[in-house]
């Protein structure tokens, strides 16, 4: 049991420390700390096209490195954060964003989850309402005996009186 707990502890510790180990290499870091902070912020918003559920900031893939360098090039050229994102979306499509923009063609992505949750809650509420109130039996609620139980009780009482 102790080995299992120790193994679970190691797994949790590794999982919690994984976000601290970024994939950005020292040769990619910009000399201006403000621009580097912008590049890191943008890198966390962009999806690695190879890993697909990782940001390019966390990914070790070659394409992710190329995208990180491209982001830094655009920032060095004087582009704003919006211009950098627009450039990458124009080049790679909306899929490159980890959090898609709220626009008409992405409405389904944003509206389906709350609608499904609302529909599930409504369905659960209707199901509970349709079932009606249920009678709860507590220790204080008297339960009538059946005819067989009453006859058995009478026999036991008569036997008890005879023994006494």
């Amino acid at each position: 049991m102790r080995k299992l707990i120790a193994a679970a502890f190691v797994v949790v510790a590794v999982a919690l420390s994984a976000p601290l180990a970024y994939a950005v290499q020292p040769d990619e870091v910009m000399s201006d700390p403000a621009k580097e902070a912008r590049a890191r912020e943008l890198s966390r918003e962009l999806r690695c096209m190879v890993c697909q559920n990782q940001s390019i900031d966390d990914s070790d893939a070659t394409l992710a490195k190329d995208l990180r360098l491209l982001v830094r090039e655009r920032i060095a050229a004087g582009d704003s954060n919006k211009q950098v994102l627009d450039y990458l979306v124009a080049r790679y499509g909306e899929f490159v964003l980890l959090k898609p923009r709220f626009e008409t063609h992405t409405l389904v992505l944003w509206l389906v989850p709350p609608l499904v949750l609302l529909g599930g809650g409504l369905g659960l509420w209707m199901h509970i309402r349709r079932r009606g109130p249920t009678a709860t039996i507590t220790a204080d609620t008297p339960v009538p005996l059946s005819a067989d139980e009453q006859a058995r009780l009478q026999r036991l009482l008569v036997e008890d009186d005879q023994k006494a």
Side-chain angles (χ1 to χ4, degrees):
M1 184 67 177
R2 287 183 183 175
K3 289 181 181 181
L4 182 63
I5 292 172
F9 179 75
V10 169
V11 168
V12 169
V14 169
L16 291 176
S17 66
L20 302 175
Y22 295 110
V24 177
Q25 303 300 314
D27 62 331
E28 298 175 31
V29 177
M30 299 179 84
S31 58
D32 183 5
K35 288 183 179 181
E36 178 60 26
R38 280 183 55 209
R40 294 298 289 267
E41 180 184 333
L42 286 171
S43 294
R44 287 187 204 103
E45 295 177 27
L46 297 169
R47 179 187 318 271
C48 174
M49 305 303 267
V50 177
C51 310
Q52 295 192 3
N53 274 342
Q54 254 185 333
S55 70
I56 62 170
D57 198 46
D58 298 329
S59 176
D60 286 329
T62 307
L63 180 60
K65 180 178 180 172
D66 292 343
L67 286 173
R68 286 193 301 266
L69 291 173
L70 184 60
V71 166
R72 283 166 173 76
E73 281 177 23
R74 303 300 298 182
I75 289 174
D79 287 359
S80 68
N81 289 1
K82 184 176 179 347
Q83 289 172 322
V84 172
L85 290 176
D86 288 343
Y87 175 79
L88 290 169
V89 167
R91 191 168 182 182
Y92 295 100
E94 194 80 24
F95 186 72
V96 78
L97 300 175
L98 277 172
K99 183 178 176 186
R101 296 174 179 166
F102 190 77
E103 295 176 354
T104 54
H105 65 279
T106 59
L107 263 171
V108 173
L109 290 172
W110 287 100
L111 296 180
V112 166
L115 290 176
V116 167
L117 188 63
L118 183 66
L122 183 64
L124 183 62
W125 178 74
M126 289 174 57
H127 175 71
I128 291 171
R129 191 167 168 220
R130 215 178 297 142
R131 287 182 60 197
T134 56
T136 56
I137 298 175
T138 63
D140 300 334
T141 307
V143 179
L145 298 177
S146 68
D148 292 336
E149 291 171 331
Q150 287 178 354
R152 183 168 180 241
L153 179 61
Q154 288 302 320
R155 281 192 312 258
L156 290 172
L157 288 174
V158 169
E159 288 175 11
D160 191 41
D161 284 342
Q162 291 173 354
K163 287 181 183 177

